[in-house]
Amino acid sequence: MYHLPELTPSVNIRRIAVLTSGGDAPGMNAAIRAVARAALHQGIDVLGIQRGYSGLVEADIRPLTSPLVGNILQRGGTLLKSDRCEEFHKPAVRWQGYEHLREMEVDGLVVIGGDGSLAGARQFAAETNFPLVVLPATIDNDIEGSDETIGFDTAANTGLDAIDRIRDTANSHQRLFLVEVMGRDSGFLATEVGIAGGAEMILVPEQAIDLDRVSESLKQGDSSARPSSRIIVVAEGRKPGRTQRLAQALTERGFNPQVCILGHIQRGGNPSARDRVLASCLGAVAVKVLQAGQGGCLLGVENRHLVQRPLADLGERLPLDPALLELAQLIQQ
Ligand code: F6P
């Protein structure tokens, strides 16, 4: 559980809007519900912006009522739909979004999303000074200013469930599997799933694949008295086909790897208890932050406390601690 900040209302908020942006993450619905219910409970109107920043720019905005956000807490995906809005990189387009909020007499905005959404919100807030709160939601867990992100726990458990199943087959046939998990730029998911699933190797996007090191380590495994299954967790990386290329290279070196790409399976599904609680707490407190006149921030978790970090202070992405990979290696064999 979390420690909540003490916030004193100082601004009269009559209407807020909420959107989900970027890759969907399990728990986004729980956050929408919490924002809407916490606001409506205090007589604040709530508008749901459809399809992230695209809906903001196109004024695709509808009122949210308490029944509308009922029965979504347990569902993956997002009631409001999501989008990666390239157009929002343009200042004139962001300004259009700002004007829609003013026309609709919106006093505060809650943005639920990952690093791209955070970058958009930072620019938007800096240019317009519009009061907004960003809630970290991404299966990548790579948001600076928050130890946890909505969706990561569920995605990690989904990936882990797959690895446990693959391990059964890998063990039965003494096979080598390359399991690709999501993570274009960030290896948190690969590392979490790899450590929890006892992977023999974890390859993150932050580090180039050293083929000699990989095959050397596989050969060492081969020479052990009791041959067993081997699972290498590979983060997808920026260039598509990373795992297939690795499989091809290993095949050329005499190994017989099998590839399993988990893909978007990791983004769907019912959120875990942990993600539901995180999303619910962040959503409800976001409304209080706006009422306290403290917008322009990310609301995240640090040492189990919900904390606000000014958007202007945040870097692009939370870096992975390489010591985690060393730890994983230490306990692999
Ligand atoms: O940011 C979340 C994420 O799932 C990344 O792990 C992945 O690289 C990317 O989104 C895939 O994005 P999309 O499915 O939207 O193309």
Side-chain angles (χ1 to χ4, degrees):
M1 270 312 154
Y2 303 102
H3 300 280
L4 306 182
E6 280 179 25
L7 293 158
T8 313
S10 63
V11 183
N12 184 21
I13 301 274
R14 289 153 305 170
R15 180 171 295 149
I16 63 167
V18 55
L19 63 83
T20 50
S21 160
D24 64 326
M28 278 182 161
N29 275 329
I32 296 167
R33 170 181 175 270
V35 169
R37 292 257 166 100
L40 291 165
H41 193 70
Q42 297 178 75
I44 299 171
D45 289 344
V46 184
L47 301 179
I49 301 173
Q50 307 289 305
R51 296 175 293 111
Y53 294 128
S54 299
L56 176 61
V57 173
E58 294 164 25
D60 189 358
I61 302 171
R62 305 160 202 186
L64 285 181
T65 60
S66 193
L68 268 178
V69 296
N71 204 23
I72 63 167
L73 170 76
Q74 74 280 21
R75 296 190 198 284
T78 159
L79 170 82
L80 295 175
K81 314 286 181 212
S82 194
D83 196 10
R84 299 187 197 276
C85 180
E86 285 305 315
E87 285 290 286
F88 208 66
H89 289 293
K90 300 177 187 161
V93 173
R94 290 196 289 272
W95 198 256
Q96 217 172 322
Y98 170 73
E99 282 179 348
H100 290 146
L101 290 174
R102 303 304 306 169
E103 279 158 21
M104 293 188 173
E105 299 181 343
V106 174
D107 301 313
L109 173 66
V110 180
V111 172
I112 305 168
D115 59 337
S117 316
L118 177 66
R122 192 194 299 121
Q123 285 175 312
F124 185 79
E127 289 159 358
T128 63
N129 210 20
F130 194 84
L132 65 83
V133 180
V134 179
L135 304 184
T138 164
I139 65 163
D140 293 339
N141 203 39
D142 58 351
I143 303 295
E144 196 192 313
S146 191
D147 300 339
E148 299 174 43
T149 60
I150 296 166
F152 176 69
D153 183 63
T154 309
N157 280 298
T158 303
L160 183 59
D161 180 56
I163 289 198
D164 287 347
R165 287 163 194 266
I166 291 167
R167 181 70 80 180
D168 289 344
T169 288
N171 264 333
S172 305
H173 295 270
Q174 298 174 307
R175 281 183 184 161
L176 163 63
F177 270 89
L178 309 184
V179 182
E180 183 179 290
V181 300
M182 278 197 145
R184 217 164 12 209
D185 303 296
S186 163
F188 281 99
L189 191 58
T191 306
E192 182 97 352
V193 164
I195 292 177
E200 276 63 34
M201 206 178 293
I202 301 168
L203 301 174
V204 294
E206 289 87 342
Q207 297 174 351
I209 294 178
D210 179 343
L211 200 55
D212 290 336
R213 196 180 69 80
V214 174
S215 40
E216 216 32 62
S217 154
L218 288 173
K219 275 183 205 148
Q220 276 170 21
D222 271 341
S223 65
S224 75
R226 206 177 108 258
S228 59
S229 63
R230 278 154 312 159
I231 291 182
I232 302 182
V233 172
V234 189
E236 63 178 324
R238 209 139 248 285
K239 200 166 151 208
R242 189 179 195 224
T243 309
Q244 300 287 8
R245 283 193 299 281
L246 174 61
Q248 178 66 33
L250 289 174
T251 304
E252 284 162 13
R253 289 179 178 226
F255 298 99
N256 185 21
Q258 299 205 274
V259 172
C260 179
I261 296 180
L262 301 186
H264 288 84
I265 286 174
Q266 296 153 103
R267 283 237 298 257
N270 299 350
S272 63
R274 191 163 163 188
D275 275 329
R276 294 184 203 191
V277 172
L278 173 64
S280 299
C281 292
L282 289 175
V285 172
V287 177
K288 287 181 185 261
V289 170
L290 290 171
Q291 287 179 299
Q294 296 179 12
C297 69
L298 171 90
L299 179 65
V301 181
E302 275 176 17
N303 300 323
R304 307 210 69 77
H305 286 77
L306 262 53
V307 291
Q308 296 144 253
R309 294 277 305 271
L311 291 176
D313 292 357
L314 298 175
E316 285 299 309
R317 181 171 289 119
L318 186 70
L320 180 73
D321 182 355
L324 271 174
L325 296 173
E326 284 166 29
L327 177 148
Q329 223 166 1
L330 194 73
I331 56 178
Q332 264 153 11
Q333 284 174 14

